[in-house]
Amino acid sequence: MKKVLCAASLGMALAFSVGAQAADKIAVVNIAEVFQQLPARAAVAKQLENEFKGRASELQGMESDLQAKIQKLQRDGSTMKASEREKLEKEVVAKRDEFAQKAQAFDIDNQRRQMEERNKILTRIHDSVKVVAGQKGYDLVLDANTVAYSASGKDITAEVLKQVK
């Protein structure tokens, strides 16, 4: 019985020792902070703004035209001839449908492109995390936003930010 207890104690001590060694090879990185501080993020935002500027201004023009027609219908609708009012109502409905369709297509395209560019940046960040982890000898790197507590304090965010720039 004494040998079993001794073996169990030795096994527990060995497990804690291995756990402590593994903890030495764990680091954390704040991916969101790296993403926010990247100069490339601002450049990509500007690029996307320029890419969609023409369509955005077209939509703004369509919206202004539609608002003007709606106001005219509300203001003058009661004094217009029935045929003129019906014509204007049909025109407003057609413009509203066209605007809604173009606005939805714009939103979808804009979101798709933003996700593409965001994913490119995140891939660069993840590649940089791998490089820094390899250089520093870390076996595991966790996102700081998913870690409740880290006693080791091995935060490699600054190194990753330098690497990704």
Side-chain angles (χ1 to χ4, degrees):
M1 182 72 163
K2 206 175 193 184
K3 288 183 180 180
V4 171
L5 287 175
C6 186
S9 306
L10 185 60
M12 294 286 282
L14 184 60
F16 284 126
S17 172
V18 169
Q21 288 176 344
D24 288 342
K25 296 192 177 211
I26 297 175
V28 294
V29 63
N30 191 332
I31 299 286
E33 182 180 333
V34 173
F35 186 82
Q36 290 297 321
Q37 292 185 12
L38 272 181
R41 186 181 66 84
V44 166
K46 189 71 172 169
Q47 173 193 350
L48 289 174
E49 181 182 323
N50 289 336
E51 185 176 324
F52 287 97
K53 187 184 290 185
R55 287 176 64 186
S57 61
E58 177 188 356
L59 283 172
Q60 287 172 342
M62 287 179 71
E63 183 179 29
S64 297
D65 185 44
L66 181 60
Q67 290 295 336
K69 289 187 185 306
I70 290 172
Q71 287 174 355
K72 181 178 180 180
L73 184 61
Q74 289 173 345
R75 183 182 62 238
D76 302 335
S78 59
T79 60
M80 294 176 126
K81 292 181 183 177
S83 61
E84 289 178 7
R85 187 176 58 246
E86 287 178 22
K87 180 181 173 187
L88 188 56
E89 287 172 349
K90 287 180 183 178
E91 192 176 332
V92 165
V93 169
K95 293 272 186 191
R96 185 177 50 212
D97 291 345
E98 180 185 5
F99 174 77
Q101 182 182 10
K102 285 190 176 191
Q104 183 180 17
F106 174 82
D107 287 341
I108 290 170
D109 290 346
N110 192 10
Q111 288 176 359
R112 180 187 52 79
R113 283 289 293 130
Q114 285 183 6
M115 288 301 293
E116 286 174 2
E117 294 301 326
R118 180 181 163 275
N119 288 340
K120 286 179 187 177
I121 291 172
L122 287 175
T123 299
R124 285 181 46 207
I125 292 171
H126 285 267
D127 291 344
S128 296
V129 168
K130 288 177 187 176
V131 168
V132 170
Q135 290 172 347
K136 302 284 184 174
Y138 294 116
D139 294 328
L140 179 65
V141 178
L142 301 171
D143 187 354
N145 293 321
T146 61
V147 177
Y149 174 74
S150 173
S152 67
K154 294 182 176 149
D155 187 351
I156 61 170
T157 302
E159 290 95 348
V160 170
L161 188 58
K162 287 178 191 172
Q163 177 69 33
V164 80
K165 283 184 178 179

